[in-house]
Amino acid sequence: MKDLEREKIINYFNYNIALEHSAIIQYLFHAYTIGEAETENEIEEIAREEMRHLRMFAHKVVELGGEPAISERAAVFLHAPTLEDLMQLDIDAELMAIQEYSKQLKDISDESAKRILSRVISDEDAHSKIFTKMKENLKQMVKDSSSAKEQERLEIAQLLNDILQRQYKKILEELYQSFITRFKNPHLSDELEQKAIDKMKHFGWIAEELTEKGYQIDVSLPKIDKVKDSNDIVNYNIKEEIESKEQFLSLSQKTQLPDLQWILERIANREIHYTDLKKFLENNQLSEKDYGKILSAFTVGSLFKKKD
């Protein structure tokens, strides 16, 4: 990569770190302000995804020899006259991020950086839709908090449970791989743990879809493949993620249910293949102390006291 391109990506991604930082603070504050448990949890989940984005941008900055702008933050908008207006602030933040990241995507040529931007843009687009739905729900709460649930075909339940089982299997495999590589290859171990967290989110989305449609969730214990060698683990996950993305996109094209189609496409678009991880693991210049700072800077537990 040429020095000019490297510097451009570092500057862009440090700006993005500041944007993600502001989004985390804004969303967590809004979650606390709303005071409605279900909406609060949804917003906190989006904030955690913004933390993931910040981590991805920071890793790339460090990989390119830069220093991540963890202490920088863009403007935050914490107050609004109504809850609907508050949600509109978050919708606006997502749309602004999509516009900015899309501009960057067209202006750089490095494929690894472009994949990161593509993944984040997909997430931000999903967030804007979620916030829009929250805005409508908050409006509807004033009028009528109840809604009828339609019955879906048995085939849909089977499809959803098959996907659920696939995500369950991957969670267990990636956690296993993370545990056994913890001391042999801590960088790989951490990345596997983060991948497992992603799969937990997917598991939750599918489980929620099943529950909302009145179907029983299949949580029977899947059989896992216990891959132990670091190179085998990376290659195994490259193959699995490519196949998984193709499967989800194929299923999304077959279903006629918009909600299910959106979930399947969202899961497919969240995959960043382990090709980039290989290069990251080969970079031995990053110390464990510096690496730890990046990982822990925005890793927090629940900031809210959940109601029983």
Side-chain angles (χ1 to χ4, degrees):
M1 184 189 301
K2 294 181 179 180
D3 289 342
L4 188 61
E5 173 81 354
R6 180 181 291 104
E7 192 66 26
K8 180 192 293 185
I9 295 172
I10 289 173
N11 290 336
Y12 273 151
F13 279 23
N14 267 331
Y15 177 63
N16 298 350
I17 289 171
L19 289 181
E20 297 296 331
H21 185 163
S22 67
I24 293 164
I25 300 302
Q26 180 170 314
Y27 297 166
L28 290 177
F29 188 91
H30 289 179
Y32 178 81
T33 300
I34 287 173
E36 195 279 318
E38 184 175 349
T39 303
E40 175 185 294
N41 291 339
E42 286 188 274
I43 299 176
E44 185 180 357
E45 174 64 20
I46 291 176
R48 289 180 182 278
E49 290 202 339
E50 305 298 2
M51 294 178 192
R52 171 70 165 163
H53 297 165
L54 186 148
R55 179 177 180 270
M56 293 160 71
F57 287 132
H59 275 179
K60 190 62 181 177
V61 168
V62 173
E63 178 188 326
L64 295 178
E67 182 176 343
I70 298 298
S71 60
E72 301 297 324
R73 193 178 81 184
V76 294
F77 302 92
L78 304 180
H79 305 285
T82 68
L83 293 180
E84 292 174 53
D85 293 333
L86 205 66
M87 287 297 94
Q88 187 60 51
L89 290 176
D90 297 338
I91 294 169
D92 292 343
E94 294 295 338
L95 295 178
M96 187 277 284
I98 292 170
Q99 183 179 28
E100 173 62 29
Y101 298 157
S102 298
K103 181 193 74 174
Q104 294 178 17
L105 187 62
K106 294 178 181 178
D107 194 41
I108 63 175
S109 58
D110 179 69
E111 290 301 323
S112 174
K114 289 170 79 74
R115 278 192 289 272
I116 293 172
L117 286 169
S118 295
R119 152 71 189 269
V120 175
I121 289 169
S122 175
D123 280 348
E124 307 297 25
D125 180 65
H127 295 168
S128 71
K129 290 180 173 64
I130 293 170
F131 279 131
T132 299
K133 185 177 180 180
M134 285 183 194
K135 182 180 177 181
E136 292 302 314
N137 288 344
L138 288 170
K139 183 191 299 184
Q140 186 66 21
M141 280 171 57
V142 179
K143 301 175 182 178
D144 183 6
S145 60
S146 64
S147 62
K149 293 184 180 299
E150 62 178 13
Q151 291 296 317
E152 300 290 348
R153 295 176 301 173
L154 186 60
E155 292 79 12
I156 298 300
Q158 184 60 54
L159 171 63
L160 289 171
N161 270 314
D162 287 345
I163 298 169
L164 193 77
Q165 277 288 300
R166 185 183 181 93
Q167 297 304 302
Y168 191 6
K169 180 176 184 288
K170 285 304 299 175
I171 291 168
L172 296 178
E173 285 180 346
E174 288 170 352
L175 287 176
Y176 172 81
Q177 293 163 4
S178 175
F179 296 155
I180 65 170
T181 57
R182 172 54 59 191
F183 299 107
K184 297 177 182 177
N185 195 329
H187 296 299
L188 175 60
S189 176
D190 181 78
E191 189 66 20
L192 289 163
E193 182 179 335
Q194 294 300 324
K195 289 287 183 180
I197 291 171
D198 265 354
K199 297 301 186 299
M200 290 176 192
K201 292 177 183 178
H202 303 166
F203 185 98
W205 299 340
I206 298 300
E208 183 178 18
E209 187 75 1
L210 277 161
T211 302
E212 287 180 351
K213 288 177 168 49
Y215 293 125
Q216 193 170 23
I217 299 174
D218 177 14
V219 290
S220 56
L221 187 65
K223 182 179 180 180
I224 69 171
D225 297 318
K226 294 184 176 181
V227 185
K228 298 182 179 181
D229 178 79
S230 293
N231 289 330
D232 290 341
I233 286 172
V234 174
N235 291 329
Y236 175 84
N237 281 281
I238 291 174
K239 181 176 182 293
E240 193 282 333
E241 288 194 355
I242 292 173
E243 292 175 350
S244 179
K245 180 170 184 174
E246 291 174 352
Q247 181 192 44
F248 288 133
L249 288 176
S250 176
L251 289 173
S252 72
Q253 293 168 359
K254 293 177 181 178
T255 181
Q256 299 300 313
L257 300 175
D259 287 348
L260 178 56
Q261 185 179 53
W262 181 64
I263 289 173
L264 292 171
E265 289 176 350
R266 188 181 180 198
I267 292 174
N269 290 330
R270 284 167 59 84
E271 304 290 4
I272 289 184
H273 304 319
Y274 277 69
T275 304
D276 295 327
L277 180 59
K278 281 186 175 180
K279 296 179 182 177
F280 176 73
L281 294 173
E282 290 170 359
N283 182 358
N284 298 319
Q285 297 178 354
L286 186 63
S287 71
E288 289 299 323
K289 182 178 180 181
D290 292 336
Y291 184 82
K293 286 181 181 178
I294 296 170
L295 295 184
S296 63
F298 284 91
T299 303
V300 299
S302 175
L303 300 184
F304 307 107
K305 293 182 179 179
K306 308 301 180 188
K307 297 180 181 179
D308 295 331

